[in-house]
Amino acid sequence: MPPTPDIDRRAVLRGLAAAVAALPVLGTVAAPAAPAAPAASAAALGSWPVSTLEAFADTLVPGERRSSSDRAVAGAAPGPGAVQAGVIALLTSPELPLNPLLPGIAALLDARATAYAVSRLILLPIDRPPFVGLSFDHRTTLVARLFQADDLDRAIWQLLAFLVGLAFDTAAHRHTAQALAEGHPGLVWTGFPPPDADGLWRYPAHSYGTALAEPHPATTPSGSPA
């Protein structure tokens, strides 16, 4: 069995928790800005950690391969997935404290993939990270095990999975209006509504067909509690 990477799990959890807390706010209130270049972010992190993290994200929100030689994306589903939606740009966002932690997280995932392969006598290719070397079905089986209640690192995988979902469902690392205008794959795929002409979202129709409660009398004009 391969040794488990020596990482500070408390630091990883603190970093992931801080990222989860910050991202829903960043994507909606930050002023529109030019997105960080994905190639630059990936180069700073390193090709193997990027591939491992992409494969993890693609297991949770799968999509089409970017090319015939794509290894991280398994091509298990039509349309865009978390990788196409910019999950690496989210994880390496300069506003978040994750960059120093990502190589350790990727190494931990690869160690678990190696142990999984050894237990099933699966011969992994040597030209790619262990998790990337697994088939999509084996990736899915392994990830399901990582979320079991008795897994030592369950909280790490849960928080990382939540960030993966945010990348696809909300483009949380981008200003929402700008992401929509530029055709963010996740927002477009899920049919996220565009803002009004002034860049703000208003919802004149109640989703349940009726108001569920009256606004508190101290509510501000912006809709915030006083």
Side-chain angles (χ1 to χ4, degrees):
M1 299 293 284
T4 301
D6 184 15
I7 64 172
D8 186 340
R9 286 176 167 80
R10 290 182 181 273
V12 170
L13 286 173
R14 285 197 299 268
L16 287 169
V20 167
L23 272 170
V25 177
L26 288 176
T28 54
V29 304
S41 299
L45 183 56
S47 61
W48 274 45
V50 165
S51 293
T52 298
L53 294 170
E54 284 183 339
F56 178 82
D58 180 68
T59 306
L60 297 172
V61 187
E64 297 173 347
R65 281 192 168 100
R66 293 162 289 184
S67 69
S68 59
S69 61
D70 199 342
R71 293 171 173 173
V73 177
V83 174
Q84 292 88 342
V87 66
I88 296 300
L90 182 152
L91 294 175
T92 58
S93 173
E95 289 87 0
L96 302 178
L98 294 182
N99 275 299
L101 306 174
L102 295 176
I105 295 174
L108 181 60
L109 183 57
D110 280 329
R112 297 297 297 271
T114 301
Y116 175 90
V118 169
S119 69
R120 284 167 171 72
L121 302 180
I122 298 172
L123 183 62
L124 293 172
I126 63 173
D127 61 345
R128 67 200 71 172
F131 188 82
V132 179
L134 294 173
S135 69
F136 184 78
D137 287 343
H138 284 303
R139 293 179 190 179
T140 301
T141 300
L142 173 56
V143 168
R145 289 193 169 197
L146 298 180
F147 290 115
Q148 290 181 354
D150 61 348
D151 190 90
L152 175 64
D153 301 308
R154 182 189 185 198
I156 292 176
W157 311 123
Q158 287 178 321
L159 290 171
L160 186 62
F162 186 63
L163 292 173
V164 170
L166 286 178
F168 185 84
D169 295 334
T170 72
H173 56 302
R174 303 284 308 283
H175 185 277
T176 308
Q178 185 182 50
L180 272 173
E182 296 175 356
H184 179 270
L187 297 182
V188 172
W189 185 261
T190 58
F192 195 93
D196 293 338
D198 59 1
L200 300 178
W201 277 264
R202 298 175 179 85
Y203 302 94
H206 301 292
S207 60
Y208 286 92
T210 183
L212 300 182
E214 293 296 326
H216 189 279
T219 303
T220 66
S222 69
S224 301

